[in-house]
């Protein structure tokens, strides 16, 4: 069960990258961004859980899982920034 936190985040992160790079449509970019942002939920929940339970080994593994997520985020920003869901809201407010 302890691996489920970062495995779920990793699966959602990989799915987000695959959707945005394979389908190449505006809807796919938005979907990829939503999946990527959703992938942070189990990772953050795992960090909170392991921090509260003081399980340092699992906390370390979950923290290390955030590095590939940050790398995936950098790829998403570099290649698919136009599909970021909140970007359109910023344009409407300006």
């Amino acid at each position: 069960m302890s691996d489920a936190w970062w495995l779920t985040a990793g699966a959602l992160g990989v799915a987000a990258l695959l959707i945005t790079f394979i389908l190449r449509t505006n809807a796919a970019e938005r979907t990829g961004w939503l999946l990527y942002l959703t992938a942070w939920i189990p990772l953050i929940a795992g960090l909170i859980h392991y921090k509260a339970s003081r399980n340092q080994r699992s906390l370390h593994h979950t923290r290390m899982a955030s590095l590939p997520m940050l790398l995936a985020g950098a790829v998403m920003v570099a290649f698919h920034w136009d599909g970021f869901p909140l970007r359109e809201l910023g344009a409407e407010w300006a």
Side-chain angles (χ1 to χ4, degrees):
M1 180 63 186
S2 65
D3 293 338
W5 297 106
W6 59 270
L7 285 175
T8 303
L12 288 172
V14 167
L17 287 174
L18 288 175
I19 286 172
T20 55
F21 277 102
I22 292 173
L23 297 180
R24 300 227 182 239
T25 64
N26 291 337
E29 284 187 350
R30 273 187 245 111
T31 303
W33 270 109
L34 291 174
L35 267 177
Y36 172 74
L37 295 173
T38 304
W40 282 96
I41 295 171
L43 196 59
I44 292 169
L47 286 170
I48 292 169
H49 171 74
Y50 292 132
K51 187 71 172 170
S53 68
R54 298 178 189 226
N55 186 346
Q56 293 300 317
R57 180 182 167 145
S58 294
L59 178 65
H60 173 73
H61 290 297
T62 307
R63 260 194 337 237
M64 294 311 286
S66 64
L67 294 176
M69 287 295 294
L70 291 171
L71 181 61
V75 169
M76 293 287 285
V77 167
F79 295 108
H80 301 289
W81 179 245
D82 293 340
F84 187 69
L86 299 178
R87 189 168 184 264
E88 294 171 2
L89 288 176
E92 290 175 6
W93 291 344

